[in-house]
Amino acid sequence: MAEKLIYLFEEGSESLRALLGGKGAGLAEMTKAGLPVPPGFTITTEVCRKYLKLGKEVLKEIEPEVRKKMEILEEKTGKRFGDVNNPLLVSVRSGAPVSMPGMMDTILNLGLNDETVKGLIAQTGDERFAYDSYRRFIQMFGNVVMGIPHEEFEHIIEKWKREKGVKYDTEVDAVTWKKVIEDYKELVKKKTGKEFPQDVWEQLFMAIAAVFESWNNERAKVYRKIHGISEEMGTAVNVQTMVFGNRGNDSGTGVAFTRNPSTGEKKIYGEFLLNAQGEDVVAGIRTPLPIEKMAEALPEIYEELKRVCDQLERYYKDVQDIEFTVEKGKLYLLQTRSGKRTAQAAVKIAVDMVKEGIIDKATAVRMVSPKQVETLLHRQVDPSAKYDVLAKGLPASPGAACGKVVFTADEASELGSRGEKVILVRPETTPDDIHGLYAAQGILTSRGGMTSHAAVVARGMGKPCVVGCEAISIDLEKEVFTVGNVVVKKGDVITIDGSRGIVILGEVPMVEPSMSPEFRELLSWADEIARLQVWANADTPEDARRAREFGAKGIGLCRTEHMFMAEDRLPAVKRMIMAMTREERESALDEILPMQEGDFYEILKAMEGYPVTIRLLDPPLHEFLPKEREILEELMELEKEPEKNALLIEEKRELLKKVRALQEANPMLGFRGCRLGIVYPEIYEMQVRAIFRAATRLVKEGCKALPDVMLPIVGHWKEMEILREMVVRVAEEEMSKAGVRVEYHVGTMIELPRAALTADEIAKYAEFFSFGTNDLTQTVFGFSRDDVEGKFLPQYIEKGILKHNPFEVLDRDGVGALMKIAVEKGRKTRPNLKIGICGEHGGEPSSIEFCHQIGLNYVSCSPFRVPVARLAAAHAKLSEDGKGWSSEK
Amino acid sequence: MAEKLIYLFEEGSESLRALLGGKGAGLAEMTKAGLPVPPGFTITTEVCRKYLKLGKEVLKEIEPEVRKKMEILEEKTGKRFGDVNNPLLVSVRSGAPVSMPGMMDTILNLGLNDETVKGLIAQTGDERFAYDSYRRFIQMFGNVVMGIPHEEFEHIIEKWKREKGVKYDTEVDAVTWKKVIEDYKELVKKKTGKEFPQDVWEQLFMAIAAVFESWNNERAKVYRKIHGISEEMGTAVNVQTMVFGNRGNDSGTGVAFTRNPSTGEKKIYGEFLLNAQGEDVVAGIRTPLPIEKMAEALPEIYEELKRVCDQLERYYKDVQDIEFTVEKGKLYLLQTRSGKRTAQAAVKIAVDMVKEGIIDKATAVRMVSPKQVETLLHRQVDPSAKYDVLAKGLPASPGAACGKVVFTADEASELGSRGEKVILVRPETTPDDIHGLYAAQGILTSRGGMTSHAAVVARGMGKPCVVGCEAISIDLEKEVFTVGNVVVKKGDVITIDGSRGIVILGEVPMVEPSMSPEFRELLSWADEIARLQVWANADTPEDARRAREFGAKGIGLCRTEHMFMAEDRLPAVKRMIMAMTREERESALDEILPMQEGDFYEILKAMEGYPVTIRLLDPPLHEFLPKEREILEELMELEKEPEKNALLIEEKRELLKKVRALQEANPMLGFRGCRLGIVYPEIYEMQVRAIFRAATRLVKEGCKALPDVMLPIVGHWKEMEILREMVVRVAEEEMSKAGVRVEYHVGTMIELPRAALTADEIAKYAEFFSFGTNDLTQTVFGFSRDDVEGKFLPQYIEKGILKHNPFEVLDRDGVGALMKIAVEKGRKTRPNLKIGICGEHGGEPSSIEFCHQIGLNYVSCSPFRVPVARLAAAHAKLSEDGKGWSSEK
């Protein structure tokens, strides 16, 4: 290994993040910025990768260099590693290039043994502290490095506390800690067959190896899988001089965000514990104090901390999440990293930082990921709803969720995967629970703070979460929790509001989110950057209005079949389908026409000045008739009194005949879309007539209606030619009847491979294309969505054949390749061809990025996803310019 | 119009066929070859096209030129057009560039009027002949040009024959013909409000216009549609000096083929009538004599005719179909064209002509179209079958057919389109019956000769046909025909044998065709030319043997699902599907394994030395279980005695549960193909094990077994990677167990758009591709074959949206474009990738041509189509070399 394997903090930098990990790079930057960081060094991820490949040999290779660096730490601190009189103690921590909170392991107080503990007493004059530190070290080392369960150590402490009649750890005296240590060492020997290592160098290299190996532990793997982090990266190891927050009431430890990670408020935010080590905070075992309390306990340190936070933010141009320790009145920073935040906070922070002159608009847009703002579109408890609050906890992750109570991660995962909505209720969560957190609608814990495992993970996932809700008392065995005399059993429904930290019994009405002024501002910046426009899919005037409110610049898909399904129309629709002659069919259609006209009038009006793309009838006609089984059952019932029901029976038999005649083996590939329009032109004519009657009426009323007529399931240019001619003819008839002109276009969905492959021919007759990537995915893969999602698709994803469900994330290699062909061929014929997408992918960030890359003009998605899409469109542009985030990993 | 509009026969040539039509070009070539052709000229198709676009104006434009050409005819004949003493009479006939027999109209004796008829008497001294000719002219002109129904003229003749008490036209005397003529003229006046035109120039231009307009008559349109002839072509008009075959017993008219068009025998073949005009022969109204009889009636002329035939054949290097007239002992040729022939004849003629040194092998191959030889694969009456011949007629078109008797073309069409097999029985057929001929299995007529309408059309369509079967007496009103006292009613089943001209009551056993030595020889020449190999689809050893017999060079698709369907295996297969655990499934599979091994053993043995491409299980599992409806019915029955049937009910309920669990909304796009192999690897493993046990056994026995394993419905390279690894692993296990090696390959179907689009990735793991164009057509079009063929596809073809059913003729623009992508991408990764096709298109000539063009290695089709495909493969190569036939119009 020729390259530099170990960096002192002062030698590193942010640009070496891939080698040093996030923590190492952060410590380096802080050190260089002159901040108070205990000295230390970082062993690179390169070493980890080699270790994972070649094994222990690698430790021997780095040993000389590690010893050299330890000497430098000895020089800086004036202490010596393993020295009986003035021992140097270090922490050993993992730090991957991408943040993986709670995933990797940490060892503190390394360098203590039966001899050096005496040196620590000499240094500090605090025997109790020294033995407490030693027992903590054995416990942590025994657990993390030697694999002995945490509980077995806790049992020993419990035993001694009972013996001594004390309740809290803080009440345990030095003598008792010594006994605990004896028992610990015996436990280690019993469990591992070896003595607890007294050689401090052996301790150090075992710890380094354990950090490397922790890269491959189960919870780390799960985390990486969920977050799409590469398995190849490896972790760095940070070895740092120990400082102690547990040296009395002028000491302490804490974590702080430079701004509120939940709301984005510009105010230092966090928690601290007096006289405690860092692990006490992060593990959520003791409930810490809000950081403001430091102003009383350690006022000078608090002021210094605020200054340091400000300095860090301006240095990193982002909110920082720091760990600090105060040792006997001196502040030390142990870690800094970009602070995880809620979407709401992310938006506010980004906008505020622009206004504070820290960053520019593009950076602000880049700082908020489209995936993140999805959570802003989470529902909230209806402010006008009446309900009783069952309990209050900490508002750890915003949004409201409702579901059945479950008490184990396994059960949450099982029910969740079946599509049931559950709330996972736990005293606290651990990394082993990650699959349950993932499957649950929300998380409720009785213990832990805002930075506890549950809180951090829930915020990352954008799930509502309430933590530290001490009012609830959980009985895991009986699977109930109680609040006073209210008993909540497994399966009972509760609602949690993670924005306010409250728990409610039963289901509460919720409201859909609206956008904050900051969010609007950020999205307007995003629009300035983006090349793609964002439109919405909307079938009703309400949806259209909502889409507009969320910033949609048009309707990319207005489906007309839902209008056919409306209860007041279904009888006429049925008559239309049952018609034996064209005349009968037309008479039924005449009844539907004014209703459709009304639909179009409202939606065109709601979108005044913006195009509304109306798709003519798409589903096969049998979808409007009852199912065969239903009719058969009704018939059997009627035939119990055949004479009385003679007429009805006759009618049902007719219906049955029609239903059977219309039955299809593969309706997805059957008689639908424009095929209906070709065989029954009168149906499409009626729809087009309704569109132009509505539009001309609006134009006469002074409203700018912009209808675009879209034909579904076109596969051959001749279909397009015939139907385009029909649309133009009917439009002209209606316009000349009304005496006004309407601006309109005729275009087609591209949802069949053949349409994409012959797009040059189709573009001769189509003024716009809209990719129907739902159907295109079905035909390109040969996947019937109805059939495969529940059957083999999960196995395909599990086996790694597919990375994502292709109905959620656009398949670039297959479907995308076909889209590219269609864009190229279409624009060859008609260079200014307007092209969009109206499949569900139109609201998914990675798919939007791809649409940007292949040069689409717009994406159209459900109204609630419009903000996500606007942001994603901007990110796609920034990414293209080499400035940012890319969703493709 | 600057170009040359009218060509004298001596000015034209074969190379001007597009302008002069086939008839005009033939007359030109014959004239230039010094053959006895009555002088005349041809008005080009260009004039027709202009006429159809611009109307009558065009006639004025060409008038000066027509008059000039008529003057030349006058000079040549010494007669004058419209002259009272020595009138020039002409025929006016259509002639399109592509032969359209019986489709276009003809006028004879043009130039006769009340005055010139006297001149004709003066010329011929035969008053009766002159008035007969005049009345024929009025009748033909009145019908064709003025639109008066033929029957109305016939009624007048009938009236006068009754009046005069005579039975045959030949008994009508001159005086009576004059009365007929008076009545004819009155009829014309009554029907059209105008006098019959006496101005011969008016007659001429009206006739020319009528020929032009006949291009667009209904029967012409239907013919063009069926034969895929362009609407744009137009027809030429031939104006030719009349000669008369009805001037006594030293005159006559006839048609002749230079070789027998039914068997190919090298002997002049045809029919003639003494003292008759051409129309009497072609219309099939009088039954003519075999041409050999001319040797007795007109021995010198017969010898001259034979010499002329020989000369024509060597000139055109093809069999000719000529029309001739003998006028007072002098032979005139009126037309020559390439002779339509049966497939059997085509093959024999082509091979014979090579041996006679007239043509080379490539020309011989080119002379027989793949479409034509399909008819050689028609079934024949089993020679060993016992049956009584009901009646005998002329063997007009070979092959045997069996079906229900129908008496109208409409009914034939109606039942035929419903998939019923019918035999159309008519006194004679007319061009208006074409839809019925198309729909019927075979045709039987009581009148007409080998060149009657029914005979010509049936041969063209390759349908069995018996004509001139005078033994049957047809009563169209009662819808029966009788032979002696046997009465055959509508709906009764008969069998006809068009090779021998016999009719049999009821259904007779048939045999599949075998190949004549000439056919084998021709195909061996085709193989020398072709670049594409021809393989066959075969699931059984019998099919494999037949394929080999027909010249297949491998099996391109051996489906394994039919083996699963076999009655002795279905119970184990069902148990396999019903299995709750992998163990249960494996135990059922263990039972199936030796049976599958037996299947593969036989088929590999039958194809020794040739590759056998075995496709692993493809259909969804529910296809092996009973339908839900069936189980429900059985359950209802069982539940009448619930206690007695308790166990069975339990079992049925389990089955019902499974059937429902396996139900799919769109099975075509569901859980099938390699998806089964991914989820249930044990099924595919069993099949692979069976293949390699069979193959190793054969190798040990000294037989060269060449199994190729093919995976269905692959859409992602990962599927291919996983399954390839499995195949190789199992193959290696079995080979090392057996101690012998087997040559094998692993490849995939390309039947999903995604497979084609990502062929470069897939080719990393696949050694061969086989296009499954059935499924590819379904997914590219979004057409479920089950649903669209019966529903809107016929309408799509009728409306001209699609030219062909894309499941029959490969869609080059869509499916073909995707195939091209797959070939290019696949070969980019693996330059020697073997690529074939095993969809039904593999046996269809136009599709085979396309496969050749995009560079496939082989086509695989059903065994019976192998000869067609071999020929088509050669044609594709010849066409590429600019030497031939192309199926793309």
Side-chain angles (χ1 to χ4, degrees), chain A residues 84-86 117-126:
Chain A
V84 183
N85 298 313
N86 189 20
V117 70
K118 290 170 197 156
L120 188 57
I121 299 168
Q123 273 174 6
T124 61
D126 187 342

Side-chain angles (χ1 to χ4, degrees), chain A residues 665 669 719 754 784 796 811, chain B residues 669 719 754 784 787 796 811:
Chain A
L669 308 174
E719 295 170 322
R754 200 179 189 287
S784 163
Y796 263 47
D811 162 51
Chain B
L669 307 175
E719 295 169 323
R754 201 179 189 287
S784 163
D787 298 314
Y796 263 47
D811 162 51

Side-chain angles (χ1 to χ4, degrees), chain A residues 720-884:
Chain A
M720 195 63 216
E721 185 195 29
I722 291 171
L723 292 173
R724 184 200 162 73
E725 197 185 282
M726 179 279 290
V727 173
V728 171
R729 175 173 53 74
V730 175
E732 291 296 330
E733 278 171 26
E734 290 302 324
M735 289 188 298
S736 80
K737 220 184 288 172
V740 291
R741 306 255 351 137
V742 174
E743 241 181 80
Y744 74 99
H745 303 91
V746 187
T748 180
M749 304 273 291
I750 300 287
E751 51 190 336
L752 293 174
R754 200 179 189 287
L757 291 162
T758 60
D760 44 351
E761 295 295 327
I762 291 173
K764 289 183 189 158
Y765 307 94
E767 291 162 279
F768 63 87
F769 283 177
S770 179
F771 284 106
T773 46
N774 298 350
D775 279 2
L776 201 55
T777 300
Q778 298 200 75
T779 47
V780 167
F781 273 89
F783 279 178
S784 163
R785 187 165 187 178
D786 292 334
D787 299 314
V788 308
E789 283 197 329
K791 282 179 178 152
F792 61 85
L793 201 51
Q795 297 210 43
Y796 263 47
I797 291 166
E798 198 179 302
K799 282 181 204 259
I801 296 173
L802 297 172
K803 217 153 149 188
H804 309 281
N805 179 338
F807 294 107
E808 287 167 7
V809 180
L810 190 88
D811 162 51
R812 298 187 183 196
D813 293 344
V815 178
L818 208 48
M819 289 171 73
K820 258 195 235 171
I821 291 172
V823 170
E824 277 161 27
K825 288 197 164 188
R827 293 243 171 89
K828 214 172 87 188
T829 299
R830 195 186 281 265
N832 62 346
L833 185 71
K834 191 161 67 175
I835 310 182
I837 177 175
C838 64
E840 276 174 50
H841 302 100
E844 191 280 321
S846 151
S847 312
I848 292 170
E849 186 189 36
F850 182 75
C851 291
H852 170 91
Q853 286 169 357
I854 63 169
L856 300 203
N857 301 93
Y858 68 89
V859 295
S860 185
C861 55
S862 81
F864 281 112
R865 294 197 69 87
V866 167
V868 175
R870 288 166 71 191
L871 200 54
H875 276 240
K877 180 66 169 64
L878 289 171
S879 167
E880 182 184 74
D881 299 343
K883 289 197 200 146

Side-chain angles (χ1 to χ4, degrees), chain A residues 628-629 663-669 675 679 716 719 752 754 780-782 784 787 791-792 796 801 811, chain B residues 628-629 663-669 675 716 719 752 754 780-782 784 787 791-792 796 801 811:
Chain A
E628 185 187 13
R629 210 186 282 185
Q663 257 168 5
E664 294 186 305
N666 298 287
M668 161 68 209
L669 308 174
R675 298 159 191 178
V679 175
H716 198 289
E719 295 170 322
L752 293 174
R754 200 179 189 287
V780 167
F781 273 89
S784 163
D787 299 314
K791 282 179 178 152
F792 61 85
Y796 263 47
I801 296 173
D811 162 51
Chain B
E628 185 187 14
R629 211 186 281 185
Q663 258 169 3
E664 294 186 305
N666 298 287
M668 161 68 208
L669 307 175
R675 298 160 190 177
H716 199 289
E719 295 169 323
L752 292 174
R754 201 179 189 287
V780 167
F781 273 88
S784 163
D787 298 314
K791 282 180 178 152
F792 62 86
Y796 263 47
I801 295 172
D811 162 51

Side-chain angles (χ1 to χ4, degrees), chain A residues 335-446:
Chain A
Q335 173 173 325
T336 189
R337 58 184 177 191
S338 171
K340 296 227 168 207
R341 67 210 79 171
T342 64
Q344 195 186 339
V347 169
K348 181 165 166 51
I349 289 165
V351 173
D352 285 354
M353 281 187 151
V354 170
K355 297 195 170 159
E356 291 163 26
I358 301 175
I359 57 174
D360 63 10
K361 289 177 182 177
T363 307
V365 168
R366 207 165 57 232
M367 269 172 67
V368 182
S369 88
K371 216 176 168 80
Q372 202 172 19
V373 301
E374 286 175 20
T375 63
L376 283 186
L377 310 163
H378 276 166
R379 296 173 310 161
Q380 302 290 343
V381 167
D382 183 350
S384 66
K386 296 253 178 283
Y387 50 84
D388 291 322
V389 173
L390 181 66
K392 276 201 108 176
L394 298 172
S397 181
C402 174
K404 290 180 181 168
V405 168
V406 295
F407 291 94
T408 68
D410 287 345
E411 190 150 15
S413 173
E414 199 193 313
L415 290 174
S417 70
R418 278 198 245 132
E420 292 218 38
K421 295 190 192 307
V422 298
I423 305 288
L424 178 61
V425 180
R426 294 286 301 169
E428 61 190 312
T429 65
T430 72
D432 295 329
D433 296 327
I434 199 121
H435 58 300
L437 274 73
Y438 192 63
Q441 298 295 307
I443 299 109
L444 168 61
T445 71
S446 57

